[in-house]
């Protein structure tokens, strides 16, 4: 009697759903509300749904892409809840989501949770790859082209002074940077 809704990149861009249903890795009759991330989707949503089939055999399932921007993700949350999902899961983050207040996605989550839907989101695996600190004034004013930008943060928590945050980026890798502070978010 439970329906689990999944939000991820895609469900059947690779065309393997029929084989998964035939092998018992997915149940028949999955409700697909939006799979518009094709052709670039990797079917991470289908993989999640295979796990749900193993963990909760007999549960009904539904899918909506979370790709296409924050409004698509938020609408997918609402659409899956309106389609009768009792539990929703996702594995997607937009780095422009506000960290210190509820943006459009968090507001959609709040709305469905308030209606009785359980919601579970991937927390990610970046816990030790971040920097968090209260602001410490360095006393050094930052000016670029005669425009004052304020006083730099002191990254040295001890008695020294360091206005630069050192990071190491291994070769042949990429870096995503998201910088926010607990002020009202403008987006």
């Amino acid at each position: 009697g439970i329906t689990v809704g999944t939000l991820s990149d895609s469900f059947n861009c690779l065309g393997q759903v029929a084989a998964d249903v035939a092998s018992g890795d997915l149940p028949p009759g999955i409700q697909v509300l939006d799979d518009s991330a094709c052709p670039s989707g990797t079917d991470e949503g289908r993989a999640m749904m295979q796990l749900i089939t193993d963990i909760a055999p007999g549960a009904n399932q539904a899918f909506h892409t979370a790709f296409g921007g924050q409004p698509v993700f938020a609408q997918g949350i609402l659409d899956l809840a309106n389609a009768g999902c009792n539990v929703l899961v996702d594995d997607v983050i937009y780095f422009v989501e506000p960290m210190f207040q509820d943006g459009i996605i968090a507001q959609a989550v709040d709305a469905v949770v308030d209606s009785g839907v359980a919601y579970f989101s991937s927390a990610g695996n970046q816990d030790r790859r971040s920097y968090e600190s209260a602001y410490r004034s360095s006393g050094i004013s930052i000016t670029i082209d005669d425009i004052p930008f304020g006083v730099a943060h002191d990254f040295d928590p001890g008695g020294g002074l360091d206005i630069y945050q050192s990071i190491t980026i291994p070769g042949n890798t990429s870096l995503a940077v998201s910088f926010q502070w607990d002020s009202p978010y403008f987006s």
Side-chain angles (χ1 to χ4, degrees):
I2 298 294
T3 301
V4 180
T6 299
L7 295 122
S8 188
D9 73 331
S10 64
F11 175 66
N12 196 26
C13 291
L14 303 178
Q16 298 298 313
V17 169
D20 284 350
V21 171
S23 69
D25 290 320
L26 287 175
I30 291 175
Q31 185 179 9
V32 179
L33 302 182
D34 183 347
D35 195 18
S36 61
C38 298
S40 61
T42 63
D43 291 357
E44 180 78 14
R46 180 170 52 88
M48 291 171 62
M49 296 171 85
Q50 292 169 348
L51 293 171
I52 292 165
T53 301
D54 293 339
I55 294 167
N60 298 314
Q61 294 194 50
F63 177 82
H64 195 293
T65 187
F67 280 31
Q70 293 181 78
V72 171
F73 191 176
Q75 189 61 53
I77 293 166
L78 300 174
D79 290 350
L80 285 167
N82 289 334
C85 292
N86 313 92
V87 177
L88 295 179
V89 298
D90 83 64
D91 68 343
V92 176
I93 184 171
Y94 282 92
F95 289 113
V96 296
E97 291 179 64
M99 295 177 188
F100 297 101
Q101 67 188 61
D102 285 352
I104 187 173
I105 296 167
Q107 290 173 36
V109 170
D110 289 344
V112 301
V113 168
D114 287 347
S115 73
V117 173
Y119 197 99
F120 301 92
S121 182
S122 167
N125 297 314
Q126 311 300 321
D127 67 325
R128 302 254 190 263
R129 297 180 183 172
S130 65
Y131 174 83
E132 182 178 350
S133 172
Y135 172 73
R136 288 185 301 274
S137 175
S138 67
I140 298 173
S141 295
I142 302 297
T143 303
I144 300 173
D145 293 330
D146 296 323
I147 300 171
F149 282 92
V151 177
H153 175 71
D154 179 7
F155 287 97
D156 187 332
L161 179 65
D162 186 358
I163 65 168
Y164 302 102
Q165 172 67 347
S166 299
I167 60 172
T168 302
I169 305 168
N172 300 316
T173 62
S174 62
L175 171 70
V177 177
S178 181
F179 183 71
Q180 296 185 23
W181 49 91
D182 62 349
S183 296
Y185 192 82
F186 300 101
S187 166

